Amino acid sequence: MLFRSLRRRRLRRQSFPAEWTDFIEQHLSSWALLSADEQQTMRERVRFFIAERYWEGCAGLTVTDEMRVAIAANASLLVLARPEDEYDNVTTILVYPSGYFAPDQPPSVLGGTRLIAASPQAVLGQAHQNGPVILSWRHARFGTAHAGDGENVVLHEFAHKLDMLAGGVDGTPRMESREQAAEWATVMQRSLEELRAEIAAGVPTLIRRYGATNPAEFFAVTTELFFELPLPLRERHPDLYRVLRRYYRQDPAARELARPGLQARPEADSPQPLRDESPNGRS
Ligand SMILES: [Zn+2]
């Protein structure tokens, strides 16, 4: 801890590379909506996040500053207002060029997040209970550069890590009180049941099907929506939005409403869904 605080002090004295700010702008759609104070906090967190983790490229990939900044910025956005949850459980980040084939491991190792689809199938990302976060850069880049689809594998895997900080992988991250935990449990369980019922009835859903896998995936998938499509989520699932807002201590919908020209933006603005691009799986 002493070493870390000394290193942080040294990092604070250095100027933030202009190129890194460009990378954040490219990979964090809400960057321009953050206050000057929040942006300053984010720069600091991104810098610490990068310096304090071991980064490794896999399958011939060389990890670049753009990759590190894109991943660090999205992970840091989740804990922007939760400094106590700065991923002490993430020491290593492995980056693959694209989807990769994970060795079969028991669900406990993978955090209970195995895919339900037929295997073998490429995995886009994984968060191991006592191990690394693994990401496909191709999918991380797509997810972070296109907010309109509500899918972001970086937000997804780091939501799993927040879940794991509370012990286990059950879709319940750290709560501040019994009352908050009770509200969380009630709303998340009911919302998951509603999603499963809608899927069974063939009704189109805002929350994608993978969220119905289990409570942990439901939390990770709805976290992606909370930050990427906060207005539709708040409109369609106000209770769910409220408990996520309380947990993250952020209100991305209010931020979006302040976005200049929002009302003029056509709805059909979203890019092609990721799943049309490639065989798709994620944990
Ligand atoms: Zn997952």
Side-chain angles (χ1 to χ4, degrees), residues 113 156-157 160 210 217 220 282-283:
T113 56
H156 183 102
E157 300 308 333
H160 282 318
Y210 190 59
E217 295 306 337
R282 84 174 52 176
S283 294

Side-chain angles (χ1 to χ4, degrees), residues 25-103:
E25 279 172 3
Q26 289 163 30
H27 292 284
L28 199 71
S29 66
S30 55
W31 174 249
L33 307 180
L34 301 179
S35 69
D37 282 353
E38 287 172 327
Q39 288 188 346
Q40 187 51 37
T41 302
M42 283 287 289
R43 284 193 191 92
E44 194 173 278
R45 299 276 182 81
V46 163
R47 163 164 275 170
F48 294 163
F49 186 99
I50 289 172
E52 292 168 2
R53 272 149 199 101
Y54 180 68
W55 298 79
E56 186 178 327
C58 302
L61 181 86
T62 300
V63 180
T64 63
D65 277 357
E66 181 183 4
M67 296 174 192
R68 280 186 279 262
V69 170
I71 293 165
N74 281 270
S76 298
L77 179 67
L78 296 187
V79 292
L80 178 61
R82 299 189 60 84
E84 72 273 34
D85 283 352
E86 263 186 279
Y87 308 111
D88 284 342
N89 58 349
V90 181
T91 54
T92 300
I93 295 164
L94 305 181
V95 188
Y96 280 79
S98 189
Y100 58 95
F101 293 91

Side-chain angles (χ1 to χ4, degrees), residues 244-255:
L244 287 167
R245 185 186 64 197
R246 184 176 176 189
Y247 166 67
Y248 283 111
R249 303 177 191 142
Q250 297 187 55
D251 192 347
R255 237 182 241 151

